[in-house]
Amino acid sequence: MAYSLYRLPVLVLLVMTLALSTPHLMAQEQITNKGVKKRVALMLTAQASVATLTDMMAGRVVFHPARARAARRTLMQTSRNIIKRFKKPHSDPLSNARPEIWTYWSDFKAKAEVADDAARQLNVNSLAGLRRTLPNVLQSCLSCHDSYRVEPNEFTTH
């Protein structure tokens, strides 16, 4: 009985996540440039990790250290690859990346490095640690999106 009660919230969260991601996934399927497609996939993966952590931080889901560590690992992997994925100025009509990324490459690169550093410093050992360190990650994401994303908004990424 307890196992079933545990599975229901997880299933509801999974369905909600898929429903909210479907428009992004459909848009991603329409992207023709492989470089842009890889950028979008990277950002969607990061977005999913951030969503997991923010849900825990906000109390929408119970803090679970193993899930938080997994989300942190994924976030570290994605943030480490931002510079690589954006190095070449691939374009596609469905890309939300501003061309200023490549005009101001050193600033973009610095912001990506800040995001990578914030992800590495993320404390997922406790809810208090997550609440103390996740805002730095969120701020680094928003800082870059404000400058280099066509339509900056709350964690709907590239």
Side-chain angles (χ1 to χ4, degrees), residues 27-54:
Q28 182 183 3
E29 289 176 8
Q30 296 174 0
I31 295 171
T32 57
N33 183 287
K34 289 180 184 179
V36 172
K37 207 172 237 192
K38 288 178 181 180
R39 287 195 321 238
V40 170
L42 182 77
M43 293 292 110
L44 288 174
T45 301
Q47 177 186 14
S49 295
V50 168
T52 296
L53 295 169
T54 55

Side-chain angles (χ1 to χ4, degrees), residues 3-158:
Y3 181 71
S4 295
L5 290 176
Y6 170 74
R7 289 180 59 188
L8 182 60
V10 171
L11 182 60
V12 169
L13 182 62
L14 178 62
V15 169
M16 287 175 52
T17 301
L18 289 174
L20 293 173
S21 323
T22 301
H24 300 295
L25 295 175
M26 285 199 259
Q28 182 183 3
E29 289 176 8
Q30 296 174 0
I31 295 171
T32 57
N33 183 287
K34 289 180 184 179
V36 172
K37 207 172 237 192
K38 288 178 181 180
R39 287 195 321 238
V40 170
L42 182 77
M43 293 292 110
L44 288 174
T45 301
Q47 177 186 14
S49 295
V50 168
T52 296
L53 295 169
T54 55
D55 284 348
M56 286 183 196
M57 182 179 81
R60 288 186 290 270
V61 297
V62 175
F63 176 77
H64 192 280
R67 286 192 195 115
R69 282 191 299 274
R72 177 182 181 261
R73 269 192 309 277
T74 300
L75 196 55
M76 287 171 39
Q77 291 168 348
T78 57
S79 65
R80 184 180 322 126
N81 285 309
I82 291 171
I83 294 170
K84 174 185 172 184
R85 289 286 168 236
F86 282 86
K87 193 170 188 173
K88 293 185 181 176
H90 297 286
S91 67
D92 189 282
L94 295 174
S95 173
N96 290 322
R98 289 184 179 168
E100 288 83 0
I101 289 172
W102 300 281
T103 304
Y104 303 106
W105 178 250
S106 60
D107 181 61
F108 176 83
K109 189 175 173 183
K111 288 178 190 276
E113 289 168 353
V114 168
D116 184 38
D117 190 48
R120 284 186 280 113
Q121 291 182 20
L122 194 56
N123 180 338
V124 294
N125 296 321
S126 67
L127 182 56
L130 180 64
R131 286 182 172 156
R132 189 177 59 254
T133 57
L134 186 57
N136 293 334
V137 172
L138 301 175
Q139 183 55 45
S140 68
C141 295
L142 289 173
S143 172
C144 195
H145 286 194
D146 284 346
S147 299
Y148 298 111
R149 191 170 188 285
V150 172
E151 298 175 12
N153 53 42
E154 290 186 16
F155 296 103
T156 300
T157 58
H158 301 76

